[in-house]
Amino acid sequence: MSNYNLTHIKELEAEAIYILREVFAQFENPAILFSGGKDSICVAHLARKAFFPSKIPFPFVHVDTGHNFPETMDFRNKYVEELGVKLIVGSVQKSIDDGAAAEEKGKNANRNAIQTVTLLDTIEEYGFDACIGGARRDEEKARAKERFFSHRDEFGQWDPKNQRPELWNIFNGRCHQGENFRVFPLSNWTEMDVWQYILSENIALPSLYFAHERQVIRRNNTWLPVSDYIQIAEDEEIVTKKIRFRTLGDITITGGDESDADTLEKIVDEVASARQTERGNREDDKRSETSMEDRKKQGYF
């Protein structure tokens, strides 16, 4: 007899594909927020499956802070070309030049918070009524409050106390003029689920996720990569370490871990034994206990 039981990973895959198809059915102008990180790559891979043999019916949107890892940008460009999808790039530098956002100053300055301005302006310019992304509930306590279909008001803001119920996989995508939704197909996934899926599907990733030698400095108990965008203090020493990154953001805020995991199998083993959260090395999350929720209420993804 045929076995119709699904594995845990296949159940998550089926759920995510169902959500992506619901987005296509309920919204008129959705987009995928694509950063070149592992989670957004998984979302793109799932969208490819959901609509095969047709092409992915959503454009990709990348909010370019100007402080990205070069490896991530190279991967993004090649991947988008391979998929044959439209790429829309919102520029944080343009927002700064236009006076819509103000550059942070100081040793720990970064552009993570002000990219919200660029994201909201891009959504308004192109009239997106839903933006799909790879955020997961296990990443951070504020993201644990999100629904699959997460409503945003006409100002792009999120009210965690005013979200719609989602019973029996019934999703309500109705919105008034100017409102929009953020959609999270990977909400029920964990970091381990993502890596096991990447391994089982043999999904290509930027080299940053694999252990490699890189110049870094030690700051706030993490290894920050040396770049043109980081201010190095006199007491901070540049060293070369073999590291990898568990999560990717701006090069100014993404901390690395010392590691020898240079294959997917080794990464899965490393994640299984990890005692620090995935975003534990993100400088933007260390500013306060509620830093993520505060940013999300303002429109951050």
Side-chain angles (χ1 to χ4, degrees):
M1 293 180 61
S2 299
N3 184 358
Y4 294 103
N5 294 326
L6 294 178
T7 65
H8 172 62
I9 295 298
K10 285 298 181 182
E11 284 186 357
L12 290 172
E13 179 189 64
E15 177 183 65
I17 287 175
Y18 169 73
I19 291 166
L20 288 165
R21 290 172 176 168
E22 278 293 298
V23 172
F24 182 74
Q26 292 197 38
F27 296 96
E28 294 185 4
N29 189 24
I32 292 178
L33 296 182
F34 187 79
S35 66
K38 69 181 188 310
D39 299 311
S40 62
I41 292 170
C42 279
V43 171
H45 183 83
L46 289 160
R48 198 177 195 177
K49 280 193 166 188
F51 302 103
F52 186 83
S54 297
K55 289 185 177 181
I56 298 173
F58 315 126
F60 282 18
V61 175
H62 179 226
V63 177
D64 183 1
T65 64
H67 291 175
N68 301 288
F69 286 93
E71 296 94 327
T72 307
M73 293 298 93
D74 290 343
F75 182 93
R76 182 202 71 179
N77 295 336
K78 292 175 182 176
Y79 193 63
V80 166
E81 183 179 358
E82 175 191 336
L83 293 179
V85 298
K86 180 181 179 181
L87 175 65
I88 296 169
V89 179
S91 171
V92 172
Q93 184 61 56
K94 184 177 184 302
S95 298
I96 294 171
D97 294 342
D98 292 345
E103 185 93 71
E104 287 188 358
K105 305 296 182 183
K107 174 183 173 181
N108 294 310
N110 65 72
R111 293 181 170 183
N112 193 57
I114 62 175
Q115 66 179 308
T116 298
V117 174
T118 309
L119 173 60
L120 295 178
D121 287 347
T122 303
I123 290 173
E124 183 176 4
E125 178 181 353
Y126 290 90
F128 296 126
D129 52 2
C131 290
I132 308 162
R136 310 185 320 271
R137 291 190 181 117
D138 82 313
E139 287 183 273
E140 206 274 341
K141 55 183 178 292
R143 285 180 167 169
K145 299 179 182 180
E146 295 275 21
R147 300 289 196 265
F148 284 109
F149 279 25
S150 188
H151 177 262
R152 299 298 195 268
D153 65 19
E154 63 271 23
F155 301 105
Q157 296 176 333
W158 173 63
D159 182 357
K161 297 181 180 179
N162 187 26
Q163 293 296 302
R164 300 174 182 183
E166 293 179 341
L167 306 174
W168 305 291
N169 287 336
I170 298 174
F171 304 117
N172 182 358
R174 293 185 179 181
C175 58
H176 295 102
Q177 182 70 29
E179 298 176 345
N180 61 82
F181 279 79
R182 310 290 167 81
V183 181
F184 305 107
L186 305 186
S187 277
N188 285 339
W189 297 47
T190 65
E191 182 188 9
M192 177 59 82
D193 294 331
V194 170
W195 281 113
Q196 289 180 330
Y197 188 68
I198 290 169
L199 176 61
S200 66
E201 297 285 305
N202 195 28
I203 299 173
L205 295 173
S207 59
L208 297 163
Y209 284 111
F210 302 91
H212 60 287
E213 289 192 346
R214 195 179 200 98
Q215 285 192 320
V216 292
I217 61 170
R218 191 68 175 172
R219 181 182 294 176
N220 295 336
N221 295 318
T222 190
W223 292 111
L224 282 182
V226 175
S227 71
D228 294 337
Y229 311 113
I230 190 172
Q231 296 182 30
I232 301 175
E234 292 183 359
D235 60 343
E236 292 177 326
E237 180 185 3
I238 298 176
V239 296
T240 300
K241 293 282 185 179
K242 191 173 185 181
I243 63 168
R244 78 174 195 88
F245 300 95
R246 289 173 67 185
T247 177
L248 296 184
D250 271 10
I251 197 169
T252 58
I253 59 174
T254 304
D257 295 315
E258 290 190 69
S259 172
D260 292 317
D262 54 5
T263 67
L264 289 174
E265 290 81 3
K266 290 181 181 178
I267 289 175
V268 169
D269 290 341
E270 186 177 271
V271 171
S273 62
R275 290 296 176 265
Q276 187 181 46
T277 62
E278 180 182 4
R279 293 182 65 94
N281 278 341
R282 288 288 291 268
E283 288 296 298
D284 49 329
D285 287 352
K286 295 179 180 180
R287 294 192 169 190
S288 77
E289 286 292 324
T290 60
S291 57
M292 174 64 81
E293 184 162 331
D294 293 340
R295 295 197 303 270
K296 288 175 74 67
K297 287 179 178 178
Q298 295 168 1
Y300 184 79
F301 186 70

